[in-house]
Amino acid sequence: MKEYNISALITIMMNAFADSQVNTGSILLQTVASHPNVNVDVDGKMVSNLMKRKTDIHGDIKSGAGKKEVIDFARNKVKETILSRINPVLIDDTCSDILKTMSTDSKVSDGFCSKMQQLYESQNMLDFFTNAVLYALSVTNLPPEASVQEGDFMLLAEADYHCPIDGAKLWKKVKGNYSYVYQIVKIYPENIDDELSKDFTAIQARPRDLDMDDNKICLCKECAEDYVDNPTAEKYRELLELKKAIVCGQKRKQIAIESNIDDEIVDVIKAIANMDEKTVLQPFTEALEIKDKISPGNVLLKKAINDDVIMYYPFIEKQFSLLDGVEGATFNIIRSEVTTCYEKYEREGLDQNDIYNSLVDWLIQAKGLTDRHRTAASVMVSFFVQNCDVFKKREITAIDKETDEE
């Protein structure tokens, strides 16, 4: 959500005036500050601090903006110093930017937004800009307190506390205290024009409820304002894909948490990880059926699994045979657990690469192993692919046969 305040208005009017930040800010502030009963000195430092949102509007200016005699004075100043400076070619764009910023700020009432819209439509530019300036000088310019709103926690956690677009942290640490710097954005926005609505709907239909969490995503403020200010079909598609990836990642994590695996598998994974040059590996000589299970497009995955199986399959079999017979440590139990976890991932519609990597992550996380054991865990998953517990045999097409022959 973009806020409407003096720093926002200065930014908009800089373009309309084709002037500097300091000069533009001084002109806007002087509409009230130069009244005899207000009499506040406006300088470059004041404008700079307002733009950085380090300070709020001077108290005398803020209170003066609500007094009748000051309002009448300000109206004349707007006519003399503001309307006369606005580039006529840009006046409609300037009004549009002001209206859009007000409409996206939940603190600006619908009634005031409607009043401003009516003033613009009737081309009453003097009252339009007088109201725009006086309102901006009446509201706080300080950033809102960085507190997490009720209902935002899930969306923050869903994004892993980082902006999914640019990776920026959605929190910061200042003087030992943590605060949040995020914005919740509606993926399908409210109040878009009919033409843009058609483009959006062609990509994915408008949700029945725009306030549902499925239509919300947590972004850093910069990325959020970029989308809110200029929603496009391309950005809409990107946010939909990011949301889909986030939700899919959450489901994978949940499946991993809910899926059990016997402690004994850790012994096998550690045995693989601790192999050295003295370890004798017998070659795996049985016919490989990996090609009948891995899609032709996943060439690297197929090669990795083939290499793992050829080198390590007999060693893993031996490790499991050493465990078999120990209380609660049978190969069939572990096999069943791996198969169940695989089937849960498959039901989510994950592709083979995602399933393979998710199973590796699961084996590591489920028993508190570390990334040091990732290669060994990958070998273990390859073993279960060859053992027909992971990935089903697929239909072999004529194109597949040609690919395999090549």
Side-chain angles (χ1 to χ4, degrees), residues 265-291:
I265 198 169
V266 173
D267 296 333
V268 181
I269 293 174
K270 287 183 175 179
I272 299 169
N274 292 330
M275 286 170 47
D276 56 29
E277 295 178 355
K278 297 179 181 179
T279 305
V280 178
L281 294 175
Q282 299 298 323
F284 181 72
T285 56
E286 294 181 27
L288 290 172
E289 298 181 353
I290 305 297
K291 63 183 177 63

PDB file of all heavy atoms in Angstrom, residues 265-291:
ATOM      1  N   ILE A 265      18.043 -45.850   9.086  1.00  0.00           N
ATOM      2  CA  ILE A 265      18.510 -45.410   7.776  1.00  0.00           C
ATOM      3  C   ILE A 265      19.682 -44.453   7.913  1.00  0.00           C
ATOM      4  O   ILE A 265      20.512 -44.319   7.024  1.00  0.00           O
ATOM      5  CB  ILE A 265      17.365 -44.763   6.970  1.00  0.00           C
ATOM      6  CG1 ILE A 265      17.735 -44.727   5.484  1.00  0.00           C
ATOM      7  CG2 ILE A 265      17.045 -43.361   7.478  1.00  0.00           C
ATOM      8  CD1 ILE A 265      16.584 -44.350   4.568  1.00  0.00           C
ATOM      9  N   VAL A 266      19.767 -43.763   9.065  1.00  0.00           N
ATOM     10  CA  VAL A 266      20.884 -42.853   9.315  1.00  0.00           C
ATOM     11  C   VAL A 266      22.205 -43.618   9.281  1.00  0.00           C
ATOM     12  O   VAL A 266      23.210 -43.131   8.770  1.00  0.00           O
ATOM     13  CB  VAL A 266      20.715 -42.136  10.670  1.00  0.00           C
ATOM     14  CG1 VAL A 266      21.960 -41.324  11.012  1.00  0.00           C
ATOM     15  CG2 VAL A 266      19.490 -41.235  10.644  1.00  0.00           C
ATOM     16  N   ASP A 267      22.189 -44.830   9.831  1.00  0.00           N
ATOM     17  CA  ASP A 267      23.415 -45.634   9.844  1.00  0.00           C
ATOM     18  C   ASP A 267      23.893 -45.922   8.421  1.00  0.00           C
ATOM     19  O   ASP A 267      25.098 -45.897   8.141  1.00  0.00           O
ATOM     20  CB  ASP A 267      23.169 -46.955  10.587  1.00  0.00           C
ATOM     21  CG  ASP A 267      22.840 -46.742  12.050  1.00  0.00           C
ATOM     22  OD1 ASP A 267      23.283 -45.713  12.597  1.00  0.00           O
ATOM     23  OD2 ASP A 267      22.136 -47.578  12.638  1.00  0.00           O
ATOM     24  N   VAL A 268      22.943 -46.189   7.518  1.00  0.00           N
ATOM     25  CA  VAL A 268      23.317 -46.497   6.140  1.00  0.00           C
ATOM     26  C   VAL A 268      23.842 -45.239   5.445  1.00  0.00           C
ATOM     27  O   VAL A 268      24.859 -45.283   4.745  1.00  0.00           O
ATOM     28  CB  VAL A 268      22.111 -47.070   5.369  1.00  0.00           C
ATOM     29  CG1 VAL A 268      22.516 -47.409   3.935  1.00  0.00           C
ATOM     30  CG2 VAL A 268      21.570 -48.311   6.066  1.00  0.00           C
ATOM     31  N   ILE A 269      23.139 -44.127   5.648  1.00  0.00           N
ATOM     32  CA  ILE A 269      23.581 -42.872   5.021  1.00  0.00           C
ATOM     33  C   ILE A 269      24.969 -42.485   5.530  1.00  0.00           C
ATOM     34  O   ILE A 269      25.841 -42.074   4.758  1.00  0.00           O
ATOM     35  CB  ILE A 269      22.562 -41.747   5.302  1.00  0.00           C
ATOM     36  CG1 ILE A 269      21.233 -42.046   4.583  1.00  0.00           C
ATOM     37  CG2 ILE A 269      23.105 -40.386   4.858  1.00  0.00           C
ATOM     38  CD1 ILE A 269      20.118 -41.067   4.901  1.00  0.00           C
ATOM     39  N   LYS A 270      25.196 -42.631   6.836  1.00  0.00           N
ATOM     40  CA  LYS A 270      26.507 -42.309   7.391  1.00  0.00           C
ATOM     41  C   LYS A 270      27.579 -43.273   6.877  1.00  0.00           C
ATOM     42  O   LYS A 270      28.736 -42.870   6.665  1.00  0.00           O
ATOM     43  CB  LYS A 270      26.456 -42.331   8.911  1.00  0.00           C
ATOM     44  CG  LYS A 270      25.723 -41.137   9.513  1.00  0.00           C
ATOM     45  CD  LYS A 270      25.757 -41.150  11.035  1.00  0.00           C
ATOM     46  CE  LYS A 270      25.125 -39.889  11.610  1.00  0.00           C
ATOM     47  NZ  LYS A 270      25.119 -39.886  13.087  1.00  0.00           N
ATOM     48  N   ALA A 271      27.196 -44.518   6.669  1.00  0.00           N
ATOM     49  CA  ALA A 271      28.156 -45.479   6.132  1.00  0.00           C
ATOM     50  C   ALA A 271      28.590 -45.068   4.729  1.00  0.00           C
ATOM     51  O   ALA A 271      29.776 -45.173   4.368  1.00  0.00           O
ATOM     52  CB  ALA A 271      27.527 -46.878   6.101  1.00  0.00           C
ATOM     53  N   ILE A 272      27.636 -44.591   3.929  1.00  0.00           N
ATOM     54  CA  ILE A 272      27.973 -44.112   2.584  1.00  0.00           C
ATOM     55  C   ILE A 272      28.875 -42.888   2.681  1.00  0.00           C
ATOM     56  O   ILE A 272      29.894 -42.787   1.984  1.00  0.00           O
ATOM     57  CB  ILE A 272      26.689 -43.756   1.794  1.00  0.00           C
ATOM     58  CG1 ILE A 272      25.798 -44.987   1.648  1.00  0.00           C
ATOM     59  CG2 ILE A 272      27.039 -43.200   0.424  1.00  0.00           C
ATOM     60  CD1 ILE A 272      24.412 -44.667   1.115  1.00  0.00           C
ATOM     61  N   ALA A 273      28.516 -41.945   3.566  1.00  0.00           N
ATOM     62  CA  ALA A 273      29.283 -40.701   3.707  1.00  0.00           C
ATOM     63  C   ALA A 273      30.698 -40.953   4.209  1.00  0.00           C
ATOM     64  O   ALA A 273      31.623 -40.193   3.901  1.00  0.00           O
ATOM     65  CB  ALA A 273      28.551 -39.746   4.650  1.00  0.00           C
ATOM     66  N   ASN A 274      30.895 -42.022   4.994  1.00  0.00           N
ATOM     67  CA  ASN A 274      32.197 -42.292   5.608  1.00  0.00           C
ATOM     68  C   ASN A 274      33.072 -43.246   4.800  1.00  0.00           C
ATOM     69  O   ASN A 274      34.133 -43.669   5.266  1.00  0.00           O
ATOM     70  CB  ASN A 274      31.998 -42.865   7.019  1.00  0.00           C
ATOM     71  CG  ASN A 274      31.408 -41.829   7.960  1.00  0.00           C
ATOM     72  OD1 ASN A 274      31.638 -40.635   7.808  1.00  0.00           O
ATOM     73  ND2 ASN A 274      30.628 -42.291   8.933  1.00  0.00           N
ATOM     74  N   MET A 275      32.629 -43.581   3.599  1.00  0.00           N
ATOM     75  CA  MET A 275      33.436 -44.475   2.765  1.00  0.00           C
ATOM     76  C   MET A 275      34.763 -43.809   2.413  1.00  0.00           C
ATOM     77  O   MET A 275      34.843 -42.591   2.267  1.00  0.00           O
ATOM     78  CB  MET A 275      32.680 -44.820   1.470  1.00  0.00           C
ATOM     79  CG  MET A 275      31.532 -45.790   1.672  1.00  0.00           C
ATOM     80  SD  MET A 275      30.486 -45.953   0.213  1.00  0.00           S
ATOM     81  CE  MET A 275      31.697 -46.163  -1.049  1.00  0.00           C
ATOM     82  N   ASP A 276      35.799 -44.605   2.297  1.00  0.00           N
ATOM     83  CA  ASP A 276      37.094 -44.074   1.882  1.00  0.00           C
ATOM     84  C   ASP A 276      37.683 -44.955   0.791  1.00  0.00           C
ATOM     85  O   ASP A 276      37.013 -45.864   0.287  1.00  0.00           O
ATOM     86  CB  ASP A 276      38.049 -43.960   3.078  1.00  0.00           C
ATOM     87  CG  ASP A 276      38.225 -45.289   3.802  1.00  0.00           C
ATOM     88  OD1 ASP A 276      38.100 -46.358   3.140  1.00  0.00           O
ATOM     89  OD2 ASP A 276      38.491 -45.260   5.021  1.00  0.00           O
ATOM     90  N   GLU A 277      38.920 -44.699   0.441  1.00  0.00           N
ATOM     91  CA  GLU A 277      39.554 -45.436  -0.658  1.00  0.00           C
ATOM     92  C   GLU A 277      39.717 -46.922  -0.349  1.00  0.00           C
ATOM     93  O   GLU A 277      39.853 -47.743  -1.254  1.00  0.00           O
ATOM     94  CB  GLU A 277      40.919 -44.825  -0.973  1.00  0.00           C
ATOM     95  CG  GLU A 277      40.824 -43.398  -1.519  1.00  0.00           C
ATOM     96  CD  GLU A 277      42.193 -42.796  -1.768  1.00  0.00           C
ATOM     97  OE1 GLU A 277      43.197 -43.459  -1.422  1.00  0.00           O
ATOM     98  OE2 GLU A 277      42.256 -41.678  -2.303  1.00  0.00           O
ATOM     99  N   LYS A 278      39.697 -47.272   0.925  1.00  0.00           N
ATOM    100  CA  LYS A 278      39.877 -48.684   1.301  1.00  0.00           C
ATOM    101  C   LYS A 278      38.593 -49.485   1.160  1.00  0.00           C
ATOM    102  O   LYS A 278      38.612 -50.710   1.191  1.00  0.00           O
ATOM    103  CB  LYS A 278      40.376 -48.768   2.741  1.00  0.00           C
ATOM    104  CG  LYS A 278      41.743 -48.138   2.964  1.00  0.00           C
ATOM    105  CD  LYS A 278      42.168 -48.232   4.420  1.00  0.00           C
ATOM    106  CE  LYS A 278      43.525 -47.578   4.648  1.00  0.00           C
ATOM    107  NZ  LYS A 278      43.943 -47.640   6.073  1.00  0.00           N
ATOM    108  N   THR A 279      37.461 -48.789   1.027  1.00  0.00           N
ATOM    109  CA  THR A 279      36.174 -49.474   0.924  1.00  0.00           C
ATOM    110  C   THR A 279      36.091 -50.201  -0.412  1.00  0.00           C
ATOM    111  O   THR A 279      36.325 -49.624  -1.477  1.00  0.00           O
ATOM    112  CB  THR A 279      35.006 -48.470   1.023  1.00  0.00           C
ATOM    113  OG1 THR A 279      35.136 -47.722   2.225  1.00  0.00           O
ATOM    114  CG2 THR A 279      33.673 -49.203   1.023  1.00  0.00           C
ATOM    115  N   VAL A 280      35.766 -51.485  -0.342  1.00  0.00           N
ATOM    116  CA  VAL A 280      35.663 -52.300  -1.558  1.00  0.00           C
ATOM    117  C   VAL A 280      34.231 -52.229  -2.069  1.00  0.00           C
ATOM    118  O   VAL A 280      33.279 -52.554  -1.354  1.00  0.00           O
ATOM    119  CB  VAL A 280      36.051 -53.764  -1.270  1.00  0.00           C
ATOM    120  CG1 VAL A 280      35.885 -54.613  -2.533  1.00  0.00           C
ATOM    121  CG2 VAL A 280      37.479 -53.838  -0.758  1.00  0.00           C
ATOM    122  N   LEU A 281      34.086 -51.804  -3.319  1.00  0.00           N
ATOM    123  CA  LEU A 281      32.762 -51.706  -3.934  1.00  0.00           C
ATOM    124  C   LEU A 281      32.642 -52.726  -5.049  1.00  0.00           C
ATOM    125  O   LEU A 281      33.440 -52.741  -5.988  1.00  0.00           O
ATOM    126  CB  LEU A 281      32.531 -50.299  -4.500  1.00  0.00           C
ATOM    127  CG  LEU A 281      32.446 -49.156  -3.488  1.00  0.00           C
ATOM    128  CD1 LEU A 281      32.336 -47.823  -4.219  1.00  0.00           C
ATOM    129  CD2 LEU A 281      31.241 -49.344  -2.580  1.00  0.00           C
ATOM    130  N   GLN A 282      31.644 -53.604  -4.923  1.00  0.00           N
ATOM    131  CA  GLN A 282      31.378 -54.576  -5.972  1.00  0.00           C
ATOM    132  C   GLN A 282      30.532 -53.919  -7.054  1.00  0.00           C
ATOM    133  O   GLN A 282      29.621 -53.154  -6.760  1.00  0.00           O
ATOM    134  CB  GLN A 282      30.635 -55.791  -5.392  1.00  0.00           C
ATOM    135  CG  GLN A 282      31.401 -56.537  -4.318  1.00  0.00           C
ATOM    136  CD  GLN A 282      32.688 -57.117  -4.846  1.00  0.00           C
ATOM    137  OE1 GLN A 282      32.757 -57.576  -5.986  1.00  0.00           O
ATOM    138  NE2 GLN A 282      33.721 -57.106  -4.008  1.00  0.00           N
ATOM    139  N   PRO A 283      30.786 -54.175  -8.303  1.00  0.00           N
ATOM    140  CA  PRO A 283      29.991 -53.549  -9.376  1.00  0.00           C
ATOM    141  C   PRO A 283      28.562 -54.096  -9.387  1.00  0.00           C
ATOM    142  O   PRO A 283      28.318 -55.254  -9.038  1.00  0.00           O
ATOM    143  CB  PRO A 283      30.745 -53.954 -10.644  1.00  0.00           C
ATOM    144  CG  PRO A 283      31.471 -55.216 -10.276  1.00  0.00           C
ATOM    145  CD  PRO A 283      31.840 -55.065  -8.836  1.00  0.00           C
ATOM    146  N   PHE A 284      27.637 -53.259  -9.782  1.00  0.00           N
ATOM    147  CA  PHE A 284      26.235 -53.653  -9.916  1.00  0.00           C
ATOM    148  C   PHE A 284      26.030 -54.090 -11.361  1.00  0.00           C
ATOM    149  O   PHE A 284      26.197 -53.317 -12.300  1.00  0.00           O
ATOM    150  CB  PHE A 284      25.326 -52.457  -9.586  1.00  0.00           C
ATOM    151  CG  PHE A 284      23.862 -52.767  -9.675  1.00  0.00           C
ATOM    152  CD1 PHE A 284      23.244 -53.566  -8.724  1.00  0.00           C
ATOM    153  CD2 PHE A 284      23.086 -52.255 -10.698  1.00  0.00           C
ATOM    154  CE1 PHE A 284      21.886 -53.842  -8.789  1.00  0.00           C
ATOM    155  CE2 PHE A 284      21.731 -52.521 -10.783  1.00  0.00           C
ATOM    156  CZ  PHE A 284      21.133 -53.316  -9.823  1.00  0.00           C
ATOM    157  N   THR A 285      25.692 -55.358 -11.547  1.00  0.00           N
ATOM    158  CA  THR A 285      25.683 -55.929 -12.905  1.00  0.00           C
ATOM    159  C   THR A 285      24.284 -56.184 -13.455  1.00  0.00           C
ATOM    160  O   THR A 285      24.140 -56.534 -14.618  1.00  0.00           O
ATOM    161  CB  THR A 285      26.454 -57.261 -12.906  1.00  0.00           C
ATOM    162  OG1 THR A 285      25.867 -58.132 -11.933  1.00  0.00           O
ATOM    163  CG2 THR A 285      27.916 -57.034 -12.567  1.00  0.00           C
ATOM    164  N   GLU A 286      23.247 -56.034 -12.638  1.00  0.00           N
ATOM    165  CA  GLU A 286      21.897 -56.295 -13.144  1.00  0.00           C
ATOM    166  C   GLU A 286      21.479 -55.217 -14.138  1.00  0.00           C
ATOM    167  O   GLU A 286      21.983 -54.107 -14.126  1.00  0.00           O
ATOM    168  CB  GLU A 286      20.891 -56.326 -11.984  1.00  0.00           C
ATOM    169  CG  GLU A 286      21.111 -57.491 -11.040  1.00  0.00           C
ATOM    170  CD  GLU A 286      20.072 -57.498  -9.934  1.00  0.00           C
ATOM    171  OE1 GLU A 286      18.961 -56.977 -10.169  1.00  0.00           O
ATOM    172  OE2 GLU A 286      20.374 -58.015  -8.851  1.00  0.00           O
ATOM    173  N   ALA A 287      20.548 -55.555 -15.020  1.00  0.00           N
ATOM    174  CA  ALA A 287      20.084 -54.605 -16.040  1.00  0.00           C
ATOM    175  C   ALA A 287      19.404 -53.412 -15.372  1.00  0.00           C
ATOM    176  O   ALA A 287      18.572 -53.581 -14.487  1.00  0.00           O
ATOM    177  CB  ALA A 287      19.112 -55.304 -16.990  1.00  0.00           C
ATOM    178  N   LEU A 288      19.780 -52.225 -15.812  1.00  0.00           N
ATOM    179  CA  LEU A 288      19.181 -51.028 -15.252  1.00  0.00           C
ATOM    180  C   LEU A 288      17.847 -50.725 -15.938  1.00  0.00           C
ATOM    181  O   LEU A 288      17.724 -50.828 -17.152  1.00  0.00           O
ATOM    182  CB  LEU A 288      20.110 -49.827 -15.437  1.00  0.00           C
ATOM    183  CG  LEU A 288      21.390 -49.829 -14.603  1.00  0.00           C
ATOM    184  CD1 LEU A 288      22.290 -48.685 -15.046  1.00  0.00           C
ATOM    185  CD2 LEU A 288      21.053 -49.681 -13.131  1.00  0.00           C
ATOM    186  N   GLU A 289      16.870 -50.367 -15.151  1.00  0.00           N
ATOM    187  CA  GLU A 289      15.571 -49.997 -15.701  1.00  0.00           C
ATOM    188  C   GLU A 289      15.267 -48.517 -15.438  1.00  0.00           C
ATOM    189  O   GLU A 289      14.133 -48.079 -15.568  1.00  0.00           O
ATOM    190  CB  GLU A 289      14.471 -50.871 -15.092  1.00  0.00           C
ATOM    191  CG  GLU A 289      14.643 -52.347 -15.407  1.00  0.00           C
ATOM    192  CD  GLU A 289      13.537 -53.204 -14.811  1.00  0.00           C
ATOM    193  OE1 GLU A 289      12.723 -52.649 -14.051  1.00  0.00           O
ATOM    194  OE2 GLU A 289      13.491 -54.397 -15.108  1.00  0.00           O
ATOM    195  N   ILE A 290      16.294 -47.776 -15.093  1.00  0.00           N
ATOM    196  CA  ILE A 290      16.102 -46.364 -14.787  1.00  0.00           C
ATOM    197  C   ILE A 290      15.508 -45.627 -15.981  1.00  0.00           C
ATOM    198  O   ILE A 290      14.635 -44.771 -15.842  1.00  0.00           O
ATOM    199  CB  ILE A 290      17.437 -45.693 -14.396  1.00  0.00           C
ATOM    200  CG1 ILE A 290      18.107 -46.444 -13.234  1.00  0.00           C
ATOM    201  CG2 ILE A 290      17.229 -44.224 -14.040  1.00  0.00           C
ATOM    202  CD1 ILE A 290      17.304 -46.441 -11.970  1.00  0.00           C
ATOM    203  N   LYS A 291      15.967 -45.967 -17.189  1.00  0.00           N
ATOM    204  CA  LYS A 291      15.499 -45.287 -18.392  1.00  0.00           C
ATOM    205  C   LYS A 291      14.004 -45.466 -18.604  1.00  0.00           C
ATOM    206  O   LYS A 291      13.364 -44.645 -19.283  1.00  0.00           O
ATOM    207  CB  LYS A 291      16.257 -45.784 -19.617  1.00  0.00           C
ATOM    208  CG  LYS A 291      16.052 -47.264 -19.935  1.00  0.00           C
ATOM    209  CD  LYS A 291      16.899 -47.680 -21.128  1.00  0.00           C
ATOM    210  CE  LYS A 291      16.764 -49.176 -21.404  1.00  0.00           C
ATOM    211  NZ  LYS A 291      15.391 -49.563 -21.769  1.00  0.00           N
TER     212      LYS A 291
END
